[in-house]
Amino acid sequence: VVFTIKKGEKTKKHIIEQTAILMNQRGFIATPLSEIMEVTGMQKGGLYNHFKDKEELALQAFDHCYAINKARVEEMLLGKTTVNERLTAFIEAYCGLSEDPLLPGGCPIMNAGVEAADGQSLKLQARAQNAMQYLLDFIAETLATGIINQEIQADVDPKQTATIIMATIEGAVLLSKLSQDISHILIVKNHLLAFIKSKQA
Amino acid sequence: VVFTIKKGEKTKKHIIEQTAILMNQRGFIATPLSEIMEVTGMQKGGLYNHFKDKEELALQAFDHCYAINKARVEEMLLGKTTVNERLTAFIEAYCGLSEDPLLPGGCPIMNAGVEAADGQSLKLQARAQNAMQYLLDFIAETLATGIINQEIQADVDPKQTATIIMATIEGAVLLSKLSQDISHILIVKNHLLAFIKSKQA
Amino acid sequence: VVFTIKKGEKTKKHIIEQTAILMNQRGFIATPLSEIMEVTGMQKGGLYNHFKDKEELALQAFDHCYAINKARVEEMLLGKTTVNERLTAFIEAYCGLSEDPLLPGGCPIMNAGVEAADGQSLKLQARAQNAMQYLLDFIAETLATGIINQEIQADVDPKQTATIIMATIEGAVLLSKLSQDISHILIVKNHLLAFIKSKQA
Amino acid sequence: VVFTIKKGEKTKKHIIEQTAILMNQRGFIATPLSEIMEVTGMQKGGLYNHFKDKEELALQAFDHCYAINKARVEEMLLGKTTVNERLTAFIEAYCGLSEDPLLPGGCPIMNAGVEAADGQSLKLQARAQNAMQYLLDFIAETLATGIINQEIQADVDPKQTATIIMATIEGAVLLSKLSQDISHILIVKNHLLAFIKSKQA
DNA sequence: ACCGACGGGACCGCCCGTTGTT
DNA sequence: AACAACGGGCGGTCCCGTCGGT
């Protein structure tokens, strides 16, 4: 027995993929349907068979952006067992998303979060919030494990350190977006790798 | 000769002030004229006597946002003569803009920068870019002065350190915007103050 | 030979029945296909296997509405032999359709007639017209028979009297539809019963 | 001093007048903006300066239809002092609206009432309801006055008689709309005039 | 200088009917 | 026979910028 993908599911996947690329550059809310029609090669009627409104499409497009980046990070975490390795890999992976982007437009969490904070979509705001919280929790939990394992100094506050790491990375993403210059990313990456090293037990 | 403020100038000032507050929350591009009319209490015809189009108003609103925040920072730099004092004051001032905001909506450079990166306004993008560059240059020049003065360790790279500081601050602004929780700001502020201290000669 | 109802015919019947109920309330033209899909539990493709377009479905839905009401009237005419009995039964039956409606939404002839007069469906307009003419003819012929039978006064004009009776009933239906109060129906029913009595020979 | 009508008011009046004529034929809800644009010679942007949405325009168009007909009736009531004269004039006037229509499309109360009963506009439904109630009250009050004046028989029930009169008229309007034949109106008019006469004291 | 009216167009959502697939 | 996918277009609403009038 062969599991076949239905025609509709394939089309829906195609819509989300193309729209994700587009919206991360042009805005998850601000992107007009006309541009989505262009990149998907579909008419409005076709799009509305898969999504009840543009917001739903935007949410799924955001989820897809997030999933793409998450997959890259998880790929780079494969086989990394020690806390130091894992934190180093995470920083390199997340900064790598700006150096060698899978997705044009920069960090979708920043893009969606800033746009949704305008008050245009509470749901999108929640998605961005949850995505960021997931990253913060990942770092904090990794650090907490490191403290238990005596890989990380006992006086390190996992939550606060997670905030510092994510803030520094996201800030660098913003600086490089503003100046269209990835050197900010590289500087911050090296800084954070040294920062992590300085916290080792 | 007496310098009087013309009626027209006063009106224009009023428009910019109200629009700046609005646009920093609702978007410098995304805010519709209808909302500007509401907050200014003026009709479209009146607005267009002062600005050739919405983009020009957005640019001046952004400049006003930036000026407000800059004034606060400069105020807190008054009388601070040593490099350490000045850097400390800068970090406290800039973080203070999120703790006790003069302007709802967070950092206008981030807001305008992310929105304009959609490609909707090259001019606004340039403004945001220049504003950020100004801050980076301020920090870098201050650090360079500190090295010359032997207040700052000689191996500190002024530009790179400026990037690290601004990235960390802006990242914290983003985190607090996403989670609507200023604790990220407080954590980062303390972190950066310690960071600066660690660079002293 | 056994008469079986084919599967297809059963489905078609189901569509017409549900759509008739819906359209008499929401409009024979104005009801969108989406609502028809809801009440029938079918998809568009399924519906279009039985009807070439929405107008054809509307026509058959109207016919079904009319048939339902006609059946009730004819049921109440069963066994009524004298002209007076038959006219009385007709008035009671037709007014009864508003007092104890078989079909929500009021008189389908009025509903379809007013809507179709917008010029949106000449065919529906003709159906409503024919339905009303059938009622007028029934009354007029019954009266004519009554005159011949000497049950009804000879100076009664059958056609004019039919107009008066149907106008009064339909007007009451409209008044009760507007005010959502069936008292208008009751008043008119009693009035018409007395009116008929006054025309007896 | 000359009282001038502002430009905008004149345009608004023009829009309402043309739209009233159109909507009473094509539907107060069903008429698309494209047709309103045609008959008014204006673009959508221009229309929306005067009405916040189509429903508001529909309401004012209905009010205008009603006002036109009301003016004709009141004109014919001028100088009529006795109750019999006034009721006779009312019936002739209201039936006259179908014989020599000021407004194509028939009775706006019926048109709006039937359409709004589809559930598309509660406000329009209320307007139609109020308009009809006004007419019923006028007749009932006139009859009550007649009873007091001993022009009308004491056993006449004003409210019930008002219902009968309005129902009969509106029913005739419907019949003539369906058959596109005003003879129904003429028949009913003569019938009602005789009916009123039979109620005189 | 400011208001109000207006054009012309872009926006999203929904419409109906057809087609391919099961 | 039924569903699901899709096209192409119309629906009302809101957009921005201009222009005449005050």
Side-chain angles (χ1 to χ4, degrees):
Chain A
V1 183
V2 180
F3 290 94
T4 56
I5 300 177
K6 285 185 204 162
K7 174 100 180 302
E9 287 302 314
K10 198 173 146 191
T11 303
K12 183 168 183 176
K13 192 160 166 278
H14 173 248
I15 295 170
I16 291 173
E17 285 170 355
Q18 300 305 315
T19 305
I21 296 170
L22 178 64
M23 282 186 165
N24 198 46
Q25 301 172 79
R26 305 277 291 112
F28 288 88
I29 307 291
T31 300
L33 273 181
S34 59
E35 295 189 14
I36 299 171
M37 289 164 63
E38 275 182 27
V39 299
T40 57
M42 292 182 69
Q43 299 294 324
K44 268 185 282 202
L47 296 173
Y48 270 80
N49 277 310
H50 299 282
F51 308 94
K52 73 173 232 287
D53 55 20
K54 202 180 69 164
E55 189 183 31
E56 192 180 300
L57 174 52
L59 294 176
Q60 299 202 27
F62 172 78
D63 287 344
H64 186 69
C65 289
Y66 178 62
I68 285 175
N69 286 346
K70 193 178 168 190
R72 163 86 79 96
V73 171
E74 287 180 344
E75 184 190 359
M76 291 193 61
L77 285 170
L78 277 179
K80 304 296 191 301
T81 49
T82 72
V83 164
N84 286 317
E85 278 176 335
R86 289 176 70 79
L87 289 175
T88 299
F90 175 84
I91 290 164
E92 285 181 338
Y94 213 90
C95 288
L97 292 171
S98 287
E99 296 171 53
D100 170 26
L102 296 169
L103 208 54
C107 176
I109 304 178
M110 178 189 295
N111 295 338
V114 171
E115 197 179 10
D118 292 358
Q120 311 229 32
S121 171
L122 291 174
K123 289 176 188 170
L124 182 59
Q125 195 173 13
R127 299 282 176 118
Q129 190 175 335
N130 290 338
M132 181 58 77
Q133 192 60 50
Y134 182 88
L135 296 175
L136 289 169
D137 289 345
F138 168 78
I139 299 173
E141 286 167 16
T142 303
L143 284 165
T145 304
I147 293 169
I148 293 170
N149 293 352
Q150 296 183 322
E151 287 187 68
I152 299 290
Q153 294 164 18
D155 62 343
V156 168
D157 183 312
K159 280 198 173 182
Q160 291 189 7
T161 307
T163 286
I164 290 163
I165 292 171
M166 280 312 306
T168 312
I169 294 175
E170 289 291 346
V173 171
L174 176 63
L175 294 195
S176 74
K177 189 185 184 83
L178 283 175
S179 62
Q180 290 165 312
D181 172 5
I182 63 160
S183 69
H184 298 290
I185 295 285
L186 302 175
I187 292 165
V188 155
K189 182 174 70 174
N190 290 330
H191 166 70
L192 286 177
L193 292 177
F195 176 69
I196 285 296
K197 210 167 197 174
S198 74
K199 300 298 179 188
Q200 293 180 15
Chain B
V1 185
V2 180
F3 291 94
T4 55
I5 300 180
K6 288 184 203 161
K7 172 101 179 308
E9 287 303 313
K10 197 174 151 190
T11 302
K12 183 167 181 175
K13 189 159 167 279
H14 174 249
I15 295 170
I16 292 172
E17 285 170 354
Q18 300 305 314
T19 304
I21 295 170
L22 178 63
M23 282 186 164
N24 198 46
Q25 300 173 81
R26 305 275 292 110
F28 288 89
I29 307 289
T31 301
L33 273 178
S34 60
E35 294 188 16
I36 299 171
M37 289 162 62
E38 273 182 28
V39 298
T40 57
M42 293 180 68
Q43 298 298 319
K44 224 171 336 194
L47 296 173
Y48 274 82
N49 281 321
H50 300 282
F51 308 93
K52 76 173 233 287
D53 56 19
K54 202 179 72 163
E55 188 183 30
E56 190 181 301
L57 174 52
L59 294 176
Q60 299 202 26
F62 171 77
D63 289 344
H64 186 69
C65 289
Y66 178 61
I68 285 175
N69 286 346
K70 191 178 170 191
R72 163 85 80 94
V73 172
E74 287 180 344
E75 183 191 358
M76 290 192 62
L77 286 171
L78 278 179
K80 304 297 190 301
T81 50
T82 73
V83 164
N84 287 318
E85 277 177 335
R86 290 177 69 79
L87 288 176
T88 299
F90 175 83
I91 291 165
E92 286 182 337
Y94 213 89
C95 288
L97 292 171
S98 286
E99 296 172 53
D100 170 26
L102 297 169
L103 208 53
C107 175
I109 303 177
M110 178 189 296
N111 295 337
V114 171
E115 198 179 9
D118 292 358
Q120 311 229 30
S121 172
L122 292 174
K123 290 177 187 170
L124 182 60
Q125 193 173 13
R127 299 282 175 118
Q129 190 174 337
N130 290 338
M132 180 58 76
Q133 194 59 49
Y134 181 88
L135 296 174
L136 289 169
D137 290 346
F138 168 78
I139 298 173
E141 287 166 15
T142 303
L143 283 165
T145 304
I147 292 169
I148 293 169
N149 293 353
Q150 296 185 323
E151 286 188 69
I152 298 290
Q153 294 163 15
D155 61 345
V156 168
D157 183 311
K159 280 198 172 181
Q160 292 189 6
T161 307
T163 285
I164 291 164
I165 292 172
M166 281 312 305
T168 312
I169 294 176
E170 288 292 345
V173 171
L174 176 63
L175 294 195
S176 74
K177 190 185 184 84
L178 283 175
S179 63
Q180 290 166 315
D181 172 5
I182 63 160
S183 70
H184 297 291
I185 295 285
L186 302 175
I187 291 165
V188 155
K189 183 175 69 174
N190 290 329
H191 167 71
L192 285 177
L193 292 178
F195 176 69
I196 285 297
K197 209 167 196 175
S198 73
K199 299 300 179 187
Q200 291 180 18
Chain C
V1 185
V2 180
F3 291 94
T4 56
I5 299 179
K6 289 185 205 160
K7 171 105 182 305
E9 287 302 312
K10 199 174 151 190
T11 302
K12 183 167 182 176
K13 191 160 166 275
H14 174 249
I15 295 170
I16 292 172
E17 284 170 356
Q18 299 305 314
T19 304
I21 295 170
L22 178 64
M23 282 187 164
N24 198 46
Q25 300 173 81
R26 306 274 292 112
F28 288 88
I29 307 291
T31 300
L33 274 178
S34 60
E35 295 188 15
I36 299 170
M37 289 163 60
E38 272 182 30
V39 298
T40 57
M42 292 180 68
Q43 298 298 319
K44 227 174 328 194
L47 295 173
Y48 274 83
N49 281 323
H50 298 282
F51 308 93
K52 77 173 230 286
D53 56 19
K54 202 180 72 165
E55 189 183 30
E56 192 182 300
L57 174 53
L59 294 176
Q60 298 202 28
F62 171 77
D63 288 344
H64 185 68
C65 289
Y66 178 62
I68 286 175
N69 286 347
K70 193 179 171 191
R72 163 86 80 96
V73 172
E74 286 180 345
E75 181 191 0
M76 290 193 62
L77 285 171
L78 278 179
K80 304 297 191 302
T81 50
T82 72
V83 164
N84 286 318
E85 277 176 335
R86 290 176 69 78
L87 288 175
T88 298
F90 176 84
I91 290 164
E92 286 182 336
Y94 213 89
C95 289
L97 292 172
S98 286
E99 295 172 53
D100 171 25
L102 296 170
L103 207 54
C107 176
I109 303 177
M110 178 189 294
N111 295 338
V114 171
E115 198 180 9
D118 292 358
Q120 312 227 33
S121 171
L122 292 174
K123 291 176 188 170
L124 181 61
Q125 195 173 11
R127 300 283 175 116
Q129 189 175 335
N130 290 338
M132 180 58 76
Q133 193 59 49
Y134 181 88
L135 295 174
L136 288 169
D137 290 346
F138 168 79
I139 299 173
E141 286 167 15
T142 303
L143 283 165
T145 304
I147 293 170
I148 292 168
N149 293 352
Q150 294 184 325
E151 285 188 69
I152 299 290
Q153 294 164 17
D155 62 347
V156 167
D157 182 312
K159 279 199 172 183
Q160 290 189 7
T161 307
T163 285
I164 290 163
I165 291 172
M166 280 313 304
T168 312
I169 293 175
E170 288 291 346
V173 170
L174 176 63
L175 293 195
S176 75
K177 189 185 185 82
L178 283 175
S179 63
Q180 290 165 313
D181 172 5
I182 63 159
S183 70
H184 297 291
I185 295 285
L186 301 175
I187 291 165
V188 154
K189 182 175 68 174
N190 290 329
H191 167 71
L192 285 178
L193 293 177
F195 176 69
I196 285 297
K197 209 167 198 174
S198 74
K199 299 300 181 189
Q200 293 179 17
Chain D
V1 184
V2 180
F3 290 94
T4 55
I5 300 177
K6 285 184 206 164
K7 174 97 180 306
E9 287 301 315
K10 199 172 148 192
T11 303
K12 183 168 183 175
K13 192 160 165 278
H14 173 249
I15 295 171
I16 292 172
E17 285 170 356
Q18 300 305 316
T19 304
I21 295 170
L22 178 64
M23 282 187 165
N24 198 46
Q25 301 172 80
R26 304 277 291 112
F28 288 89
I29 307 290
T31 301
L33 272 181
S34 58
E35 294 187 15
I36 299 171
M37 288 164 63
E38 274 180 28
V39 298
T40 57
M42 291 182 69
Q43 299 294 323
K44 274 185 276 203
L47 295 173
Y48 270 79
N49 278 309
H50 299 282
F51 309 94
K52 75 174 228 289
D53 56 19
K54 204 181 69 165
E55 188 183 32
E56 192 181 299
L57 174 52
L59 294 175
Q60 298 203 26
F62 172 78
D63 288 344
H64 185 67
C65 289
Y66 178 61
I68 285 175
N69 286 348
K70 192 178 169 190
R72 163 85 80 94
V73 172
E74 286 180 346
E75 183 192 358
M76 290 194 61
L77 285 170
L78 277 180
K80 304 298 190 299
T81 51
T82 73
V83 164
N84 287 315
E85 278 176 334
R86 289 175 70 78
L87 289 175
T88 299
F90 175 83
I91 290 164
E92 286 181 336
Y94 213 89
C95 288
L97 292 171
S98 287
E99 296 172 50
D100 171 25
L102 296 169
L103 207 55
C107 176
I109 304 176
M110 177 189 296
N111 295 337
V114 171
E115 198 179 9
D118 291 357
Q120 312 230 33
S121 171
L122 291 174
K123 290 176 186 169
L124 182 60
Q125 195 173 11
R127 299 283 174 115
Q129 189 175 337
N130 290 338
M132 180 57 76
Q133 193 59 49
Y134 182 87
L135 296 174
L136 289 169
D137 290 345
F138 167 79
I139 299 174
E141 286 167 16
T142 304
L143 284 165
T145 304
I147 293 170
I148 293 169
N149 293 352
Q150 296 185 323
E151 287 187 69
I152 299 291
Q153 294 163 17
D155 62 347
V156 167
D157 182 311
K159 281 198 173 182
Q160 291 190 8
T161 307
T163 284
I164 290 163
I165 292 171
M166 281 311 306
T168 313
I169 294 176
E170 289 291 346
V173 171
L174 176 63
L175 294 194
S176 74
K177 189 185 185 81
L178 283 174
S179 62
Q180 290 165 310
D181 171 6
I182 63 159
S183 69
H184 298 291
I185 294 285
L186 301 176
I187 291 165
V188 155
K189 181 174 71 174
N190 289 329
H191 167 69
L192 284 177
L193 292 176
F195 177 69
I196 285 297
K197 209 167 198 175
S198 74
K199 299 299 180 188
Q200 292 179 16

